[in-house]
RNA sequence: GCGCCCGUAGCUCAGUGGAUAGAGCGUCUGCCUCCGGAGCAGAAGGUCGUAGGUUCGAAUCCUAUCGGGCGCACCA
């Protein structure tokens, strides 16, 4: 016997509707019959295991009342195997209750599917390029970048769980004037001079400068401080960027985030990719010359103004690199190009969508830009001001030092990216139950403890009788477990990893309640029964889903805490 | 001025048209003689910024308005 899934209920409801139309009970036009009937978990337990509002939605079209339609559907649906009863409630909701055996069967399914439980095929065959972080190698990754590291990496995992082939990509900006500023700042610091007015400050500049000197000397080169200015600056640029980038990569790695591709902006300019991309847009008739510059007519595709791609001095404008980069990703075979950006770059969306359209692609599909709001750090109730130039930045390393990888990732990924979040450093630093990550991890550790204890007391998995799982906390826990695949699918579709985190908190809550109300191992000298053995399966199933979910967030699932 | 995001409990935040709006933290009351108390059971705490509109039904959709964040270069 298979567990009754919401999909099966949806199909059964649709079949009931079709039958009602076929025998003339329901006067519904054929094209008004929905493809799928939405089935959801009701908020209140007394409203059954599943509920649907389909009668409310179709009654008017069928020229009947919601309650009459609901009554008819209820009579038909109750014959479905595994359905214990169907009630009509309120204005015409259908409340469906499953019998315990049908609901409990899910525990075996989950245990058998293991790490595959929750995975889906919705994005199967889609090649996705997901670009995130892409911080300039002019300083450590600051807290905003860390948010995208946590969210982006989780999103990649979730998209993969949905069947997509995902490449994590980091755009390594080693071309522009900011790199020059960085190099001049290093040189000035190395020579004991004041930082350039538009340069970078902070301890890390001194550290990098010293490291560059040491590297050069160790390699047998001249001390770069003694070279002519231009040569010296070039040494500090090349070695400094390499150093800085190495540190960024290492910090991200320690945060559990690794990229498949590090793409250098320089490569676009050196390979002629920029010229080719512009030539292609010119052929398509979207390029024009004005005031000595070369423009792309992005207004044709909804942008609020046209954009210069080649400046009147002959240099490529910044956007030229992005145009070429987008084309490059598409030519590498990616169906969906997803870019995660901070809110300070949202002005960028309109023009890039126009670029996408100018290439003949579909904005919102071939190019998707996810905008995430900023992170504010709070300490003692006061906002912590951050400035890269002043060197007062909270870096990825700082965050990990203070709160650890799990708590850091979890705190950043449990909120919607649409929301500005305030992180209280003092609160995070206290590794107590004040952080919900521990609530979830503790639930997992508890499943492991129950497992160990069951083994000691001779509770085996020899029997599984789901009809015995009748306690109210058991049907509640099974109800949460059954939603996991839908949560993952929705998180993937909406590109919202926080849904997985919130789900895990809900699951942990249902598990803790179950744990407090029932026993897997017998009390005292009671005998081991099939109920104990069956509950051990439920414990296994919960453990599996907690582990699978935490895995999607890049957070560890400890056996002990 | 124009554009994007947000406004929900004391705090941090969930809730992409459904039934009595939720969680964690904080506060209060119970619960360690047995699977881990980083837990459980319960209580208090809300005009969902405001005003209209659409709908059988709105925190959710539309319009206006107020407040906060972030943007509006031949900078990158």
């Amino acid at each position: 016997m298979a567990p009754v899934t919401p999909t099966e209920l949806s199909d059964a409801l649709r079949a009931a509707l079709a039958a009602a139309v076929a025998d003339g009970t329901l006067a519904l036009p054929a094209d008004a019959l929905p493809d799928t009937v939405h089935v959801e978990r009701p908020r209140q337990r007394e409203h059954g295991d599943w509920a649907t509002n389909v009668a409310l939605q179709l009654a008017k079209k069928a020229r009947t009342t919601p309650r009459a339609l609901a009554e008819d559907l209820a009579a038909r649906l109750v014959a479905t195997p595994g359905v214990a009863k169907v009630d009509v409630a309120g204005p015409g909701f259908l409340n469906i209750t499953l019998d315990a055996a049908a609901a409990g069967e899910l525990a075996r399914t989950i245990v058998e599917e293991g790490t595959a439980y929750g995975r889906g095929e919705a994005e199967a065959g889609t090649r996705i390029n997901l670009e995130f972080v892409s911080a300039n190698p002019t300083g450590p990754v600051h807290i905003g970048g860390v948010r995208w590291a946590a969210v982006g990496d989780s999103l990649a995992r979730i998209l993969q769980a949905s069947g997509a082939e995902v490449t994590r990509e980091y755009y390594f900006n080693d071309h522009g004037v900011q790199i020059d500023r960085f190099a001049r700042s290093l040189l000035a610091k190395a020579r004991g001079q004041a930082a350039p007015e538009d340069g970078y400050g902070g301890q890390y500049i001194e550290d990098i400068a010293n490291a560059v000197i040491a590297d050069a000397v160790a390699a047998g080169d001249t001390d770069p401080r003694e070279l002519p200015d231009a040569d010296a600056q070039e040494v500090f640029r090349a070695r400094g960027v390499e150093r800085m980038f190495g540190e960024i990569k290492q910090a991200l790695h320690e945060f559990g985030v690794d990229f498949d591709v590090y793409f250098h902006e320089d490569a676009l300019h050196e390979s002629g990719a920029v010229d080719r991309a512009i030539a292609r847009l010119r052929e398509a008739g979207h390029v024009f010359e004005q005031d000595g510059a070369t423009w792309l007519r992005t207004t044709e595709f909804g942008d609020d103004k046209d954009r210069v791609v080649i400046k009147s001095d002959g240099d490529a404008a910044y956007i030229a690199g992005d145009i070429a980069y987008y084309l490059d990703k598409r030519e590498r075979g990616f169906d969906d190009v997803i870019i995660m950006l901070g809110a300070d770059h949202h002005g960028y969306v309109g023009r890039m969508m126009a670029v996408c359209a100018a290439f003949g692609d579909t904005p919102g599909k071939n190019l998707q830009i996810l905008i995430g709001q900023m992170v504010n750090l709070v300490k003692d109730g006061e906002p912590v001001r951050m400035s890269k130039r002043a060197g007062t930045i909270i870096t990825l390393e700082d965050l990990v030092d203070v709160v650890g990888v799990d708590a850091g990732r979890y705190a950043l990924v449990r909120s919607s990216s649409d929301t500005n979040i305030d992180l209280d450093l003092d609160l995070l630093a206290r590794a107590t139950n004040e952080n919900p990550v521990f609530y979830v991890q503790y639930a997992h550790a508890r499943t492991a403890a129950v497992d160990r204890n069951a083994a000691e007391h001779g509770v085996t998995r020899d029997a599984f009788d789901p009809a015995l799982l009748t306690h109210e906390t058991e049907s509640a826990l099974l109800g949460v477990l059954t939603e996991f695949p839908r949560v993952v699918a929705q998180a993937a579709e909406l590109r919202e990893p926080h849904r997985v985190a919130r789900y895990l908190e809900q699951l942990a809550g249902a598990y803790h309640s179950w744990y407090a109300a029932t026993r897997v191992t017998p009390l005292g000298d009671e005998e081991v029964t099939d109920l104990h053995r069956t509950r051990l399966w439920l414990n296994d199933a919960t453990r599996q889903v907690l582990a699978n979910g935490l895995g999607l967030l890049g957070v560890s699932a400890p056996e002990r805490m």
Side-chain angles (χ1 to χ4, degrees):
Chain A
M1 180 175 185
V4 177
T5 66
T7 309
E8 285 165 0
L9 285 176
S10 173
D11 291 346
L13 278 159
R14 193 178 184 284
L17 283 167
V21 171
D23 66 21
T25 315
L26 186 61
L28 194 67
D31 61 351
L33 202 60
D35 290 336
T36 58
V37 176
H38 186 63
V39 178
E40 63 181 11
R41 296 288 297 182
R43 235 186 267 277
Q44 276 79 32
R45 285 296 302 152
E46 58 268 30
H47 292 152
D49 293 314
W50 296 97
T52 179
N53 60 1
V54 67
L56 288 160
Q57 291 177 330
L58 294 181
K60 190 179 270 184
K61 285 178 197 161
R63 301 175 154 277
T64 180
T65 64
R67 281 202 71 103
L69 176 51
E71 298 284 358
D72 180 62
L73 289 174
R76 294 170 194 271
L77 197 64
V78 78
T80 308
V83 172
K85 63 170 181 164
V86 183
D87 299 315
V88 177
F93 292 102
L94 278 175
N95 292 336
I96 303 162
T97 304
L98 305 181
D99 64 51
E105 195 63 38
L106 177 70
R108 171 151 55 194
T109 303
I110 291 171
V111 171
E112 285 171 358
E113 292 191 14
T115 55
Y117 182 68
R119 301 184 70 88
E121 298 296 319
E123 301 272 1
T126 308
R127 294 195 62 199
I128 296 178
N129 182 287
L130 180 61
E131 183 202 331
F132 58 108
V133 185
S134 294
N136 281 354
T138 54
V141 180
H142 60 78
I143 191 70
V146 180
R147 185 179 195 177
W148 316 136
V151 175
D153 185 62
S154 287
L155 180 57
R157 292 165 190 247
I158 289 165
L159 291 170
Q160 284 168 329
S162 256
E165 185 185 322
V166 180
T167 293
R168 293 170 175 79
E169 189 146 326
Y170 189 116
Y171 187 48
F172 178 16
N173 184 327
D174 51 2
H175 188 76
V177 300
Q178 298 197 25
I179 297 293
D180 293 337
R181 278 183 203 154
F182 176 63
R184 278 186 278 116
S185 303
L186 290 175
L187 177 57
K189 178 60 78 175
R191 287 178 170 167
Q193 299 160 351
E197 197 156 317
D198 57 355
Y200 297 97
Q203 180 61 40
Y204 76 93
I205 289 290
E206 185 172 345
D207 296 341
I208 295 283
N210 288 336
V212 166
I213 295 164
D215 286 350
V217 171
D221 295 340
T222 313
D223 185 330
R225 284 171 294 188
E226 289 159 18
L227 293 170
D229 282 1
D231 294 346
Q233 192 177 314
E234 173 54 24
V235 171
F236 278 103
R237 191 197 64 77
R239 288 188 182 274
V241 165
E242 193 185 330
R243 268 263 164 197
M244 195 70 250
F245 196 54
E247 288 184 12
I248 290 172
K249 263 173 149 168
Q250 181 61 26
L252 286 166
H253 174 74
E254 284 167 11
F255 197 54
V257 179
D258 291 289
F259 290 84
D260 303 299
V261 174
Y262 293 91
F263 195 96
H264 290 244
E265 184 187 358
D266 263 349
L268 292 170
H269 296 275
E270 287 166 7
S271 70
V274 170
D275 296 336
R276 276 189 284 114
I278 292 171
R280 190 146 150 201
L281 291 170
R282 194 187 298 275
E283 285 164 26
H286 304 309
V287 171
F288 64 96
E289 311 291 330
Q290 186 179 305
D291 304 331
T294 301
W295 299 66
L296 179 64
R297 202 182 309 280
T298 51
T299 51
E300 193 177 331
F301 303 101
D303 196 8
D304 53 356
K305 60 190 75 162
D306 291 327
R307 304 291 168 177
V308 168
V309 290
I310 306 287
K311 296 186 278 187
S312 51
D313 65 7
D315 286 347
Y318 183 78
I319 195 175
D322 288 319
I323 292 170
Y325 188 30
Y326 170 74
L327 183 62
D328 180 86
K329 285 174 176 168
R330 293 282 287 137
E331 287 178 342
R332 276 187 274 152
F334 293 106
D335 307 302
D336 293 10
V337 172
I338 305 180
I339 305 173
M340 302 183 66
L341 296 173
D344 50 345
H345 288 93
H346 79 253
Y348 190 74
V349 175
R351 73 194 70 165
M352 280 312 292
M353 288 302 174
V355 166
C356 172
F359 277 121
D361 285 347
T362 306
K365 163 60 185 167
N366 299 303
L367 178 62
Q368 301 166 39
I369 300 180
L370 307 180
I371 296 299
Q373 301 300 314
M374 311 303 253
V375 178
N376 299 310
L377 289 176
V378 178
K379 201 173 168 60
D380 302 325
E382 294 294 316
V384 178
R385 297 286 297 273
M386 287 182 291
S387 160
K388 200 184 239 185
R389 292 203 182 156
T392 56
I393 46 182
I394 305 296
T395 67
L396 174 52
E397 291 97 321
D398 295 338
L399 185 74
V400 170
D401 283 349
V402 175
V403 309
V405 172
D406 285 345
R409 283 186 72 132
Y410 194 86
L412 289 166
V413 88
R414 77 185 287 265
S415 297
S416 162
S417 295
D418 283 342
T419 318
N420 285 47
I421 49 175
D422 292 341
L423 284 189
D424 187 322
L425 287 176
D426 300 318
L427 209 63
L428 283 174
R430 277 180 264 145
T432 67
N433 58 348
E434 287 165 34
N435 190 325
V437 72
F438 297 107
Y439 185 77
V440 177
Q441 288 184 312
Y442 182 60
H444 183 270
R446 205 171 222 185
T447 62
V450 167
D451 191 350
R452 290 190 294 268
N453 196 270
E456 276 175 32
H457 288 79
V459 180
T460 65
R461 295 172 178 81
D462 294 345
F464 177 72
D465 182 357
L468 299 175
L469 298 175
T470 54
H471 195 276
E472 62 177 341
T473 59
E474 284 165 342
S475 64
L477 177 54
L478 286 161
V480 179
L481 289 170
T482 197
E483 294 214 80
F484 184 59
R486 294 210 299 184
V487 169
V488 175
Q490 194 178 38
E493 183 190 346
L494 300 176
R495 284 86 165 100
E496 292 184 348
H498 76 275
R499 290 173 183 276
V500 174
R502 297 296 174 153
Y503 168 81
L504 290 174
E505 289 169 30
Q506 192 191 343
L507 176 57
Y511 177 76
H512 286 310
S513 295
W514 174 71
Y515 172 90
T518 66
R519 305 270 317 179
V520 172
T521 55
L523 276 175
D525 51 6
E526 286 176 14
E527 294 213 351
V528 175
T529 66
D530 281 356
L531 177 55
H532 296 119
R533 299 185 186 96
T534 302
R535 280 179 176 154
L536 183 54
W537 284 78
L538 184 55
N539 188 71
D540 288 345
T542 306
R543 180 181 183 172
Q544 185 70 60
V545 175
L546 286 168
N548 291 358
L550 285 168
L552 291 175
L553 303 179
V555 174
S556 69
E559 307 260 319
R560 290 186 167 82
M561 292 175 69

